[in-house]
Every structure is written in structure tokens, then in C-alpha cells.
Amino acid sequence: MEPLKSGSTIGILGGGQLGRMLAMAAAQLGYRCVGYAPEGDNVAAPVSAAFLTRAWEDRAALARFAAECEAVTWEFENVPVTALDAIPAEKLFPPRRALEVAQDRLEEKRFVEALGGRTAPFATVDTPNDLARAIESIGIPGILKTRREGYDGKGQWRIASAGDRDLLSSLRQPAIYEGLVEFEAEFSVILVRGRDDEVRFWDSPRNAHVGGILDRSLFPAGAAIGAQSEAARDLAKKVADALGYIGVLTLEFFATGDGPVFNEMAPRVHNSGHWTIEGAATSQFENHIRAVAGLPLGDTRSVARTVEMINLIGDAAADAHNHLTGGDTHLHLYGKAEAREGRKMGHVTRLER
Ligand code: AMP
């Protein structure tokens, strides 16, 4: 397929900050973006050429949206896969299957295991008995996670003692129980795969989480991550190839004494890749758009010696402009109306080149 001509329209399903940053990158390359998401604080809307506020179930609106676009992508992992049925497969990047696999923690783990990846020990939990059995075989402590729709630590409960299994009575969804992994550090592999199957990787940052939410991404990432990122990249490439993936794909890992342990994947640009806007020759957002549009991929090389990407969560964004007095410091605010607890309001990237 020919690359999209400048002036072509790229559709983005979802209206959050990832869509906002994708739309800005697309505009730079001469494309117009049309967003689509249900009612909400759709911060991608003000930077998009057009934005449709419609339900995921509105097939007619989705079909109109698809007809207006030369290519369609998503920025939100929980777009119902049924909504994708209204988009012709040849216009959709990445492919539907990538979203399907990533939306279910069980399917995702099985998929990655089948390709030779290591995961935390896990068991499916649908009933209180399942949890008792899982705890017996895997042990305590562990984490109970809903199979679907969990993100940023939501839909997760630490199980520290056998008494905690009562939690299940309040759980209304299929879940998995995972053994707690002892890790030295957490890191992510972010890659981009083009329409010609070429794969490029960004350097892997060390990711520090607080309360299940990404707090910071850092370089230098440290020796443990440096030693394990190659093996993690090999696995990530296998995943991307197996899915026929096009666009940016993220896999999150624990660096352990026995090598990388896969935690989860995101079939999209990722918070731990925000540093690439200033810290790499080409950002994850630009390369995602390049891949979707069928353009040559950009250089993913890091251009800074040290990087600190700090998320501004909830109230932390209130005095955000104070960050502007730093030297090579870059502030990104997402334009969200309300600073709720745990809500990602923006980020700051500090570099030393
Ligand atoms: P997740 O939503 O699965 O990415 O989990 C959010 C964060 O919780 C991870 O980045 C880890 O810091 C922690 N976490 C999740 N699962 C495990 C596990 N099996 N062992 C240790 N820490 C975990």
C-alpha cells in the first residue's frame, strides 16, 4: 500500500492524552486527525481536526468515522473489539487481534508464554474455590487482578494473608491470581514495527511505580536492565511479528535475578515512552503515525545521557509551571479539567545531553 498523502485523515479511537500527543505528531507530518470516543474529558479533541463524541456501540457513527479516514488506529486499550468490526481491516493499524490479546490478562500471558516468554506464576480465578486453590499452589503474597479493564493499579488487590481471599465475594469479574515477583527493577521495551515489517526499538528506561501507577521513567536504567533488555527485545519482536503488528507496541518486564519476567503488554504508545519526545531522535508518537501512514520509520536513538520523565498525577500538576525554570526541562500538560486523585494530568521530562 502506498504511504498516506499529506492532507489524508487518520482516525484515532479514544480521546485521552495519548491521542492528543498522537494528533500533534500527525499534524506535524501533514495529516489531519479525527478522534472518536464516548462522552468524557476528551483532551485529544482540542488538537484534532474533528472529534466525534459517540458511543462505542454506535455502529452507524463508527462506519461514518471509518469512511472519513484513510487509516484508523487507537490510543485506548479498552476500546471494545466489537467497535473495530465497523472499521475495514485494511484500514486498521495495529490489527484487531493485538487489541483482543492485550485486553485479557489471561490470553496475553498464554500468548507470550507460547512464544517462549516467562511470566509470574498465575492461575485463573472465577470462584472463591479457584482462589483458595490458586493460593495453595502459588502461595502468598500474590496479586489478584481482573482479567479485563484494569489499568494504573485499578482492578488489583494484594493478597497478603489467607483471610484476604474474602475479597472475591466483592469481585464480579473473571480474574487471575499472580505470585508476587521479586524484582530488581521494572522496565519496558517499546518498539515500532512498520508496514514493511521493519522493527526498531527505543532504549529501555527503568520505570518506577507508586501504588501501581507509573511515577517515573529514568536513564541510565542501570546494570540489571542493561543486561536483560536484549532478551526482552527478542521476545517483544516475536510478539510483534506473531501479531503482524503495525505501530508502536510496549511490553513491560520485571528484571529479576533469573532474567526478564514479562508482566503485561500495551498495544499502543505508552506512558514509559513519553521521554522519547525530547530524549530520542524520533518520538514514539511520530513513529506510530509514520508506521500507520506507511512512511519510513524514524531513528529511535537516544539523544540524551540522562533522562527523567516524571508524571504529574492529581494535585502535582497544580504548580506545574514551576518546572519551566529548569534548564533542559520540558512540560507537557494534557488540558484535563479536573485533577482527581491518581489522574495523569501531565508530565515533565528533564534531560542532560
Ligand atoms: P500492572 O497493572 O499489571 O502493570 O501492575 C502495576 C504494577 O504493580 C506493576 O508495574 C508492578 O509494580 C506491580 N505488580 C503487578 N504485578 C506484579 C507481580 N506479579 N509481582 C510484583 N509486582 C507486581
Side-chain angles (χ1 to χ4, degrees):
M1 192 175 145
E2 288 290 299
L4 297 190
K5 293 192 176 61
S6 82
S8 298
T9 299
I10 297 178
I12 302 179
L13 297 164
Q17 64 267 22
L18 301 179
R20 180 177 168 103
M21 290 184 271
L22 282 170
M24 292 196 281
Q28 187 189 327
L29 288 166
Y31 298 120
R32 56 188 296 277
C33 279
V34 178
Y36 186 109
E39 200 76 56
D41 196 0
N42 289 315
V43 295
V47 301
S48 301
F51 200 93
L52 278 154
T53 310
R54 296 281 188 284
W56 294 128
E57 295 74 29
D58 190 339
R59 303 276 301 202
L62 280 163
R64 279 201 307 278
F65 163 78
E68 199 189 327
C69 301
E70 272 83 27
V72 175
T73 189
W74 61 75
E75 61 94 52
F76 175 58
E77 204 168 320
N78 291 325
V79 174
V81 284
T82 48
L84 302 185
D85 295 338
I87 319 284
E90 66 277 10
K91 281 191 182 179
L92 186 66
F93 308 100
R96 185 186 199 279
R97 177 89 182 116
L99 194 65
E100 215 166 40
V101 171
Q103 279 183 351
D104 182 348
R105 288 187 187 275
L106 179 64
E107 199 174 337
E108 170 181 273
K109 281 184 159 56
R110 286 184 173 155
F111 190 84
V112 169
E113 274 190 334
L115 293 170
R118 266 184 56 215
T119 67
F122 67 93
T124 55
V125 172
D126 295 321
T127 66
N129 273 346
D130 290 346
L131 184 58
R133 265 197 297 273
I135 289 175
E136 214 162 285
S137 67
I138 293 169
I140 281 175
I143 307 188
L144 185 66
K145 299 181 179 178
T146 57
R147 277 174 55 181
R148 293 177 169 277
E149 302 204 343
Y151 66 95
D152 285 349
K154 296 187 183 87
Q156 293 192 13
W157 300 270
R158 296 239 169 176
I159 307 245
S161 73
D164 290 344
R165 63 176 75 154
D166 294 344
L167 261 178
L168 203 70
S169 52
S170 58
L171 187 72
R172 305 256 174 277
Q173 303 176 46
I176 60 169
Y177 180 73
E178 280 181 30
L180 206 66
V181 176
E182 274 187 40
F183 56 79
E184 291 166 36
E186 291 188 75
F187 68 103
S188 44
V189 171
I190 309 179
L191 64 77
V192 60
R193 189 169 183 276
R195 287 210 203 158
D196 58 358
D197 304 348
E198 185 193 359
V199 172
R200 294 187 182 195
F201 299 92
W202 283 270
D203 286 335
S204 285
R206 178 163 75 80
N207 297 328
H209 293 82
V210 175
I213 307 183
L214 183 69
D215 183 53
R216 275 152 212 255
S217 294
L218 304 157
F219 289 104
I225 293 168
Q228 299 189 15
S229 63
E230 203 54 48
R233 282 183 178 193
D234 287 349
L235 179 66
K237 182 173 185 306
K238 280 186 197 156
V239 170
D241 288 342
L243 290 168
Y245 200 90
I246 289 167
V248 169
L249 171 71
T250 308
L251 270 73
E252 292 184 73
F253 291 91
F254 303 117
T256 76
D258 304 323
V261 171
F262 166 80
N263 178 30
E264 63 174 358
M265 72 167 104
R268 53 170 170 75
V269 288
H270 195 259
N271 193 169
S272 65
H274 289 0
W275 66 273
T276 61
I277 298 174
E278 293 90 7
T282 312
S283 78
Q284 61 167 350
F285 301 102
E286 179 173 342
N287 258 345
H288 184 76
I289 296 295
R290 287 197 195 202
V292 164
L295 296 173
L297 301 179
D299 188 350
T300 48
R301 181 168 34 109
S302 295
V303 296
R305 280 181 298 119
T306 73
V307 178
E308 187 176 29
M309 188 294 299
I310 307 160
N311 268 340
L312 300 176
I313 296 170
D315 288 342
D319 51 2
H321 288 157
N322 292 344
H323 292 286
L324 293 174
T325 53
D328 202 346
T329 302
H330 306 270
L331 175 64
H332 299 254
L333 290 176
Y334 307 146
K336 293 187 183 178
E338 209 193 324
R340 286 194 299 272
E341 196 189 329
R343 194 159 199 227
K344 292 173 178 170
M345 304 299 291
H347 73 267
V348 174
T349 305
R350 281 199 209 120
L351 313 167
E352 279 174 47
R353 296 180 205 247

